[in-house]
Amino acid sequence: MIKFAVTLTKGDNRKVLEVCDTKEQAMEKGAEYRKQFSMDSGILSCISAEFDENNNRTDKKYNLIHSWI
């Protein structure tokens, strides 16, 4: 199922912070996370990808929706 996630990427390490059902929800959550994480923490992004029922990505493909820099 396609869902939207807020991720934090630093170097080769990507952490999914939150998974949302809609792009609007993910964009709101990303703006909130930007207040918590500094630029030194990594790149905060909103992506869309296939996730399973446990919110784990099911493949390596994703679409970049937005990055907060």
Side-chain angles (χ1 to χ4, degrees), residues 5-66:
V6 179
T7 63
L8 184 65
T9 305
K10 186 162 187 174
D12 292 335
N13 208 7
R14 173 177 288 127
K15 181 178 179 181
V16 174
L17 301 176
E18 190 145 351
V19 177
C20 302
D21 291 325
T22 69
K23 180 171 94 171
E24 292 76 17
Q25 290 172 330
M27 293 294 289
E28 287 177 20
K29 294 293 184 180
E32 292 174 20
Y33 279 114
R34 176 42 68 207
K35 296 174 187 173
Q36 295 176 22
F37 293 102
S38 69
M39 291 295 295
D40 293 336
S41 299
I43 298 172
L44 189 65
S45 299
C46 174
I47 66 166
S48 66
E50 288 279 341
F51 288 87
D52 65 16
E53 62 278 354
N54 297 316
N55 290 334
N56 296 309
R57 284 191 36 212
T58 57
D59 63 21
K60 294 184 179 192
K61 297 185 297 185
Y62 68 91
N63 289 317
L64 176 64
I65 305 296
H66 185 81

